[in-house]
Amino acid sequence: MSMTAGDILVETLIDWGVDRVFGIPGDGINGIIESLRKAEDRIRFIQVRHEEAAAFMACAHAKWTGRLGVCIATSGPGGIHLLNGLYDAKLDGQPVLAITGLQFHDLLHTYTQQDVELDKLFMDVCVYNSRIMGAAHVQNVTELACRTALAYRGVAHITAPADIQDQPVRKDLRSKRNRPDHVSALMAESAHIPTDDQLARAAAILNEGRKIVIMAGRGALGAGGEVETVAERLGAPVVKPLLGKGVLPDDHPYTTGGTGLLGTRPSQEALESCDTLLIVGSSFPYIEYYPKPGKAKCVQVELDPKRVSLRYPVDAALVGDSARVLRALLPKLDHHQDRSFLETAQAGMTKWRELMRERGTRTGMPMKPQVVAHELNNLLSDDAIIATDSGTITTWAARHLDMRGNMMFSCSGNLATMACGLPYANAAALAYPSRQVVAFVGDGGITMLLGELATAVKYDLDVKIIVIKNNVLGQIKWEQMVFLGNPEYVCALQPIDFATVAKGFGCTGFTIEDPKTCGEILRQALATRGPVVIEAVVDPNEPPMPPKISPEQAAHFAEALARGTSNAGSIALTIASDKVREII
């Protein structure tokens, strides 16, 4: 029996090292699903409960493993559902291939059922995007889709009419110019090494600097050793945008931790007072947290040339892989004898960690969310994989969960979408079944894709899902108040008993309400085999305090309280208590 178009597609994926595909079957992709069934001993289909989760898992698979992530969805609504997860991959620079179906080729553009031209819909999200025209077209397109996604670290998309997917190759004759075997799965990676002149220019700027800060983002995750060596040579503190949390351990003497709204005070103060900035593998989007333009000289190490000088005016650009570029730059850098700028940052970090420890060990009721993060941090293994969601939950994870050893951490960085935490964790548990995997999520985020608990149970994933339950869309609430001066409005959530819901899915469920029992319940939950949901009921009035409060933010906050925010007295008391503890 001759191979079908679907068979060729699946065999090409296998040739490119793809070992799993995330998705939901449907009549628009039945031909490809059958091909996946026939090859199930070599490539695994992971069934999710929502196509958005399939795209999130493909993105997360790429983040956790560095390999191509693949998701599949049927025609029309199935493909549409992929888009949010695909934009997550696009904005965080992850190689993902999306495969979708179309209606029968001779019914397209006739208003038939699910007649959505997904290749046109996906144009903005893709670095490669193609409609398969016949069985003889499949190999060329699939090869190029895989190659382009990996080379450009972005989203590739292939869509195929349903009737072409099971078309035998022998019935779709090659054109005379489409010669067999003219493509291969071999891909060359560019060296991306700057010239000696470019390296010399960058080194001169860094050697002249006296107050140097290194901003190390997701592009520096494989270059921790090089970042550490450069920081030691320059006497420079290392600030870490959230996706770069794993570049250096959080207790490393050269790092001041996170930056931005959910960062640390020492990081912000270092950025405000530096005279030289070295950006390594980062396009951290919040430009208000960079030095004021003109205040600092800037050197940027960046793999993607179009991201150079995107956030801050650059004086020297080194295009290339972070580790390779830093290794080439290092011999040209002087050893800076003056360590006073670094020592100031280190002293500030000592005080900051004391403040975080105080906030994480409170025993009052209602329980503070920082307590849950603090206790969890004490129980994480040195190779744990942590996924978090978007919201106030991100602040608690950023500040209280310390990276150490071989730990990995990720979230939706530039898209900052809700609902990604659980799919990210499920993907991690599939890729690394012997490692501790934790989803640290909020009640708002997990509710959006709560059905993915079924995915965790179906595949018996050893994943622990900690739900910080405050019954409110917390980040939006505080943004309304602090950034706009508006009273909180329509942010309250209908409470859900997540521990009971978890048991309905087949998970083990725990509830934590008292900070005095938090550590012990977490210990018991983490030791329980299989998917476990831990519901932690916390104070809804605990704000994700910025590292430094501006006068404008303080004025907006007071205005919001005065204009009728519910629980204004309790919120004001909580904030006042936090500030008193910070001062003393």
Side-chain angles (χ1 to χ4, degrees), residues 481 484-487 552-565:
M481 297 172 64
L484 299 174
N486 296 334
E552 183 181 21
Q553 288 172 335
H556 281 322
F557 179 68
E559 182 183 1
L561 294 180
R563 291 177 60 193
T565 290

Side-chain angles (χ1 to χ4, degrees), residues 484-500:
L484 299 174
N486 296 334
E488 175 272 317
Y489 182 62
V490 297
C491 293
L493 298 173
Q494 174 66 27
I496 296 173
D497 185 338
F498 289 99
T500 298

Side-chain angles (χ1 to χ4, degrees), residues 331-352:
K332 301 179 184 299
L333 298 179
D334 298 336
H335 186 275
H336 287 224
Q337 300 295 328
D338 183 357
R339 317 303 264 191
S340 58
F341 185 67
L342 173 64
E343 289 166 356
T344 298
Q346 290 171 329
M349 200 58 195
T350 298
K351 293 180 180 178
W352 177 267

Side-chain angles (χ1 to χ4, degrees), residues 16-39:
W16 277 85
V18 176
D19 59 2
R20 69 197 59 177
V21 177
F22 306 98
I24 298 177
D27 62 353
I29 50 171
N30 272 341
I32 301 172
I33 294 295
E34 170 60 10
S35 298
L36 286 167
R37 183 196 67 79
K38 290 186 291 186

Side-chain angles (χ1 to χ4, degrees), residues 347-393:
M349 200 58 195
T350 298
K351 293 180 180 178
W352 177 267
R353 293 184 72 82
E354 290 172 356
L355 176 63
M356 292 301 102
R357 191 175 302 109
E358 186 280 324
R359 289 182 177 174
T361 54
R362 300 179 193 172
T363 57
M365 294 286 288
M367 184 170 61
K368 302 296 184 182
Q370 299 98 315
V371 172
V372 186
H374 175 84
E375 294 292 348
L376 173 64
N377 186 58
N378 293 333
L379 299 170
L380 291 172
S381 62
D382 285 353
D383 69 345
I385 303 174
I386 305 158
T388 193
D389 221 307
S390 298
T392 55
I393 190 75

Side-chain angles (χ1 to χ4, degrees), residues 494-516:
Q494 174 66 27
I496 296 173
D497 185 338
F498 289 99
T500 298
V501 169
K503 293 171 185 176
F505 275 96
C507 301
T508 304
F510 292 86
T511 298
I512 306 172
E513 295 181 290
D514 189 338
K516 295 176 183 177

